[in-house]
Amino acid sequence: MTSSDRYGPTRMKDVASAAGVSMTTVSLVLNDKAVGIPAETKQRVLDAAAALGYRPNALAANLRTRTSDTIGFVSDTIATTPYAGAMIQGAQDAAWKAGKLILTINTNGDPAVEAYALNALLGRQVEGIVYAAMYHQMIEVPAAAKEVPLVLLDARSADSEIPSVVPDERGGAYEATSHLISHGHKRIGFLKNTASVPAANERLEGYREALEANAIAFDGELVVAGDSGLAGGYAAAMALLVEPHRPTGLFCFNDAMAAGAARAAHELNLRIPDDLSLVGFDNLELVAPFTNPPLTTMQLPHYEMGVWAVEQLINRIDGEDFSVFHQRMQCPLVERASVGPPPTRT
Amino acid sequence: MTSSDRYGPTRMKDVASAAGVSMTTVSLVLNDKAVGIPAETKQRVLDAAAALGYRPNALAANLRTRTSDTIGFVSDTIATTPYAGAMIQGAQDAAWKAGKLILTINTNGDPAVEAYALNALLGRQVEGIVYAAMYHQMIEVPAAAKEVPLVLLDARSADSEIPSVVPDERGGAYEATSHLISHGHKRIGFLKNTASVPAANERLEGYREALEANAIAFDGELVVAGDSGLAGGYAAAMALLVEPHRPTGLFCFNDAMAAGAARAAHELNLRIPDDLSLVGFDNLELVAPFTNPPLTTMQLPHYEMGVWAVEQLINRIDGEDFSVFHQRMQCPLVERASVGPPPTRT
DNA sequence: TCCGGTTGATAAATCGGTTTAGTGAATCGG
DNA sequence: CCGATTCACTAAACCGATTTATCAACCGGA
């Protein structure tokens, strides 16, 4: 019944002949560039397109316009962290708002895969690339990635020309420590982790700065390192809590360590928050709310970072904004029930 | 210095004139379809392509070949569950192996977004669509999605023509219960959740079947419902454990409820696993290993489901396999330390 | 009647590849 | 030595859109 008895989806040509106009007219109408086309013709085109169930072939349009409305999302690892979801969600929401789709690839940290992946993305004419790490780290970006606008997500590069967004670790640590101080704590321990990641050093700095700002002397003995899991937190906390002059508050590198600290406290018959106050970091959605008592902690702004990265990328794609090169995203405090005033006698 | 002094990336035409051959030859060589082309010419083309840093425009190739090497991944929600990562990872790995890229969109459950998203994907000529839910559920698939091969991931549809993969809830529950039975437990409770999702009913069935298979009478009083969080598990377990003839083993709808049950046990001074054995479900990566003691639980095979979905999709795209319509993926038991023999006197 | 300007539209080039249909020269069988 | 293959390669059509350049018809004014 259609004008051409061809197998396959309807093309613009089909719409054109159905409406009795040229392809040019159809294109103009469908893209709202129909400046001099009378409403009657316009409607005829629209009707024909609807009747035929016409769906433009984006590949063809993109080829001609040399665009793709697609951005690449390259990550080293997706599955092994619970943070990934929020970051991707943020990135997608921002992309969606700008009418762009996201091509995702995760490389599992394999440089060969990475090179191949970048080629695949660039071959598909992605307009920009978000390069995401699943925890705050320094990375080296392959040269190929720099062929299009590029933004680093939860990672930084030695190349300062590449915009990046990471959590404000120092600020978060500062606020966490200040939170304890504001409740009256003076002896505050820091459970740091042994790994040498940016987060570790910066959170320690934030802790120190908060003490300093409140005229509390930094005491190296109150900083104990452990591995960043529950066991490490348990061990580190235990070391501090058995001391006679033990701290009344603990700022922990992350929620897992905080959970370990809580376990140590339970074993020592210290009640939380009555005898010991605890602040974690990360706000793990399935951990922090469910410790006993629920853990006060700092939220890692993964969603917001994802949004920022894509927005920034799109600004660069549009050639609008090149000003901000390095964003530190604030980590908000999530108050639950693990912080209270210190016990009256220490 | 190049043959054409044009701005922009090098095209096949450039490679052709650099190598002194036609575009046809270049295309043939680069796509390994060069049947009758002598090695010398082939090498000249390869060298020219390398020298110019030629990267084929996939959009153009795809337009001509009417393919896209792209599949769409539509999900209702990504961020709010910790499972998403593994599913996406599985899907990506399988896609990657087949040389395809994944366009991801999440709709947040909004039907308008969904319709728009499907149009965007189909417009980009995706070869197939994976439709993923973030927990096992029944869904209705928009008609548009059926225009290309389609596979449901962690979801089922009333339309039995659509292949789907979901966890084998019943089998998992059967194995979990059997695990308790094999340790000698006879009075086994089931903490079910109140929501009416497929997982709930099927896990209850698996529990009953395991009892039956081992000649243990089903006792409705040992099944208590609670909300699917920690609080619900706590309340439900408490109700069972204060009874004089309390169960010695508990199969819990999920790990969060199991954690709640553990908390209830602690309060009642019941030791795990000496006084009470516990099996969870989901193997939440940040919960199950860190309860005290670590929780024996059933793993949801998200990665494997992701792989299966894409493999199945690709089979259908290639027109190879249309046989399997509904896959139930086994949930393996993850043994930790929360199950032991029942106490000698109950 | 002729001219300049607007209106409403279109033919054809183009994007960058793939693929079909050939072409001219060399080789081969008889 | 001649027709038939094979070899090595290419010109041109094509995929399905966008965009440029152009055109016919009409209108008002000189």
Side-chain angles (χ1 to χ4, degrees), chain B residues 68-83:
Chain B
S68 68
D69 284 339
T70 305
I71 68 184
F73 188 99
V74 179
S75 63
D76 54 354
T77 295
I78 253 183
T80 54
T81 99
Y83 311 131

mmCIF file of all heavy atoms in Angstrom, chain B residues 68-83:
data_model
loop_
_atom_site.group_PDB
_atom_site.id
_atom_site.type_symbol
_atom_site.label_atom_id
_atom_site.label_comp_id
_atom_site.label_asym_id
_atom_site.label_seq_id
_atom_site.Cartn_x
_atom_site.Cartn_y
_atom_site.Cartn_z
ATOM 1 N N SER B 68 24.717 -1.745 13.512
ATOM 2 C CA SER B 68 25.197 -0.696 14.401
ATOM 3 C C SER B 68 26.159 -1.245 15.434
ATOM 4 O O SER B 68 26.845 -0.494 16.109
ATOM 5 C CB SER B 68 24.021 -0.008 15.096
ATOM 6 O OG SER B 68 23.405 -0.916 15.999
ATOM 7 N N ASP B 69 26.201 -2.568 15.551
ATOM 8 C CA ASP B 69 27.043 -3.168 16.583
ATOM 9 C C ASP B 69 26.783 -2.535 17.939
ATOM 10 O O ASP B 69 27.698 -2.332 18.735
ATOM 11 C CB ASP B 69 28.526 -3.050 16.212
ATOM 12 C CG ASP B 69 28.898 -4.049 15.142
ATOM 13 O OD1 ASP B 69 28.170 -5.057 14.992
ATOM 14 O OD2 ASP B 69 29.900 -3.831 14.440
ATOM 15 N N THR B 70 25.557 -2.182 18.159
ATOM 16 C CA THR B 70 25.181 -1.527 19.405
ATOM 17 C C THR B 70 23.929 -2.194 19.938
ATOM 18 O O THR B 70 23.023 -2.516 19.181
ATOM 19 C CB THR B 70 24.880 -0.042 19.146
ATOM 20 O OG1 THR B 70 26.001 0.565 18.518
ATOM 21 C CG2 THR B 70 24.575 0.689 20.439
ATOM 22 N N ILE B 71 23.907 -2.407 21.240
ATOM 23 C CA ILE B 71 22.662 -2.879 21.815
ATOM 24 C C ILE B 71 22.224 -1.928 22.913
ATOM 25 O O ILE B 71 23.049 -1.252 23.534
ATOM 26 C CB ILE B 71 22.759 -4.327 22.338
ATOM 27 C CG1 ILE B 71 23.672 -4.419 23.533
ATOM 28 C CG2 ILE B 71 23.255 -5.264 21.259
ATOM 29 C CD1 ILE B 71 23.856 -5.850 23.984
ATOM 30 N N GLY B 72 20.951 -1.834 23.101
ATOM 31 C CA GLY B 72 20.406 -0.924 24.096
ATOM 32 C C GLY B 72 20.185 -1.632 25.420
ATOM 33 O O GLY B 72 19.795 -2.799 25.443
ATOM 34 N N PHE B 73 20.471 -0.941 26.486
ATOM 35 C CA PHE B 73 20.248 -1.497 27.819
ATOM 36 C C PHE B 73 19.322 -0.538 28.552
ATOM 37 O O PHE B 73 19.732 0.549 28.955
ATOM 38 C CB PHE B 73 21.590 -1.632 28.548
ATOM 39 C CG PHE B 73 21.516 -2.378 29.855
ATOM 40 C CD1 PHE B 73 21.865 -3.724 29.912
ATOM 41 C CD2 PHE B 73 21.102 -1.758 31.020
ATOM 42 C CE1 PHE B 73 21.816 -4.425 31.108
ATOM 43 C CE2 PHE B 73 21.042 -2.458 32.214
ATOM 44 C CZ PHE B 73 21.399 -3.790 32.259
ATOM 45 N N VAL B 74 18.084 -0.948 28.689
ATOM 46 C CA VAL B 74 17.099 -0.087 29.339
ATOM 47 C C VAL B 74 16.821 -0.635 30.729
ATOM 48 O O VAL B 74 16.533 -1.818 30.892
ATOM 49 C CB VAL B 74 15.774 -0.078 28.553
ATOM 50 C CG1 VAL B 74 14.757 0.801 29.239
ATOM 51 C CG2 VAL B 74 16.012 0.387 27.135
ATOM 52 N N SER B 75 16.948 0.206 31.724
ATOM 53 C CA SER B 75 16.639 -0.264 33.069
ATOM 54 C C SER B 75 15.715 0.725 33.749
ATOM 55 O O SER B 75 15.721 1.912 33.453
ATOM 56 C CB SER B 75 17.918 -0.429 33.884
ATOM 57 O OG SER B 75 18.550 0.814 34.032
ATOM 58 N N ASP B 76 14.924 0.201 34.653
ATOM 59 C CA ASP B 76 13.996 1.087 35.333
ATOM 60 C C ASP B 76 14.734 1.959 36.336
ATOM 61 O O ASP B 76 14.443 3.115 36.520
ATOM 62 C CB ASP B 76 12.865 0.293 36.005
ATOM 63 C CG ASP B 76 13.395 -0.788 36.931
ATOM 64 O OD1 ASP B 76 14.625 -0.999 36.964
ATOM 65 O OD2 ASP B 76 12.584 -1.426 37.617
ATOM 66 N N THR B 77 15.731 1.383 36.966
ATOM 67 C CA THR B 77 16.442 2.106 38.016
ATOM 68 C C THR B 77 17.834 1.524 38.115
ATOM 69 O O THR B 77 18.018 0.333 38.029
ATOM 70 C CB THR B 77 15.753 1.925 39.368
ATOM 71 O OG1 THR B 77 14.492 2.529 39.310
ATOM 72 C CG2 THR B 77 16.570 2.556 40.469
ATOM 73 N N ILE B 78 18.771 2.393 38.301
ATOM 74 C CA ILE B 78 20.126 1.878 38.397
ATOM 75 C C ILE B 78 20.714 2.124 39.761
ATOM 76 O O ILE B 78 21.305 1.255 40.384
ATOM 77 C CB ILE B 78 21.006 2.525 37.306
ATOM 78 C CG1 ILE B 78 21.287 1.506 36.232
ATOM 79 C CG2 ILE B 78 22.313 3.020 37.867
ATOM 80 C CD1 ILE B 78 22.194 2.003 35.151
ATOM 81 N N ALA B 79 20.521 3.292 40.272
ATOM 82 C CA ALA B 79 21.314 3.693 41.426
ATOM 83 C C ALA B 79 20.864 3.046 42.717
ATOM 84 O O ALA B 79 21.665 2.767 43.587
ATOM 85 C CB ALA B 79 21.263 5.198 41.579
ATOM 86 N N THR B 80 19.603 2.801 42.831
ATOM 87 C CA THR B 80 19.089 2.501 44.152
ATOM 88 C C THR B 80 19.332 1.072 44.590
ATOM 89 O O THR B 80 18.932 0.696 45.672
ATOM 90 C CB THR B 80 17.584 2.801 44.216
ATOM 91 O OG1 THR B 80 16.963 2.084 43.158
ATOM 92 C CG2 THR B 80 17.331 4.267 44.049
ATOM 93 N N THR B 81 19.927 0.280 43.753
ATOM 94 C CA THR B 81 20.248 -1.050 44.231
ATOM 95 C C THR B 81 21.720 -1.345 44.006
ATOM 96 O O THR B 81 22.309 -0.868 43.041
ATOM 97 C CB THR B 81 19.431 -2.145 43.518
ATOM 98 O OG1 THR B 81 20.237 -2.715 42.490
ATOM 99 C CG2 THR B 81 18.158 -1.601 42.947
ATOM 100 N N PRO B 82 22.260 -2.106 44.914
ATOM 101 C CA PRO B 82 23.668 -2.449 44.787
ATOM 102 C C PRO B 82 23.890 -3.581 43.797
ATOM 103 O O PRO B 82 25.002 -3.945 43.507
ATOM 104 C CB PRO B 82 24.037 -2.901 46.199
ATOM 105 C CG PRO B 82 22.762 -3.382 46.781
ATOM 106 C CD PRO B 82 21.655 -2.621 46.122
ATOM 107 N N TYR B 83 22.794 -4.115 43.278
ATOM 108 C CA TYR B 83 22.917 -5.246 42.367
ATOM 109 C C TYR B 83 23.257 -4.803 40.962
ATOM 110 O O TYR B 83 23.809 -5.543 40.166
ATOM 111 C CB TYR B 83 21.604 -6.021 42.272
ATOM 112 C CG TYR B 83 20.992 -6.358 43.579
ATOM 113 C CD1 TYR B 83 19.655 -6.113 43.833
ATOM 114 C CD2 TYR B 83 21.770 -6.939 44.579
ATOM 115 C CE1 TYR B 83 19.095 -6.444 45.045
ATOM 116 C CE2 TYR B 83 21.213 -7.267 45.795
ATOM 117 C CZ TYR B 83 19.873 -7.011 46.026
ATOM 118 O OH TYR B 83 19.322 -7.330 47.212
#
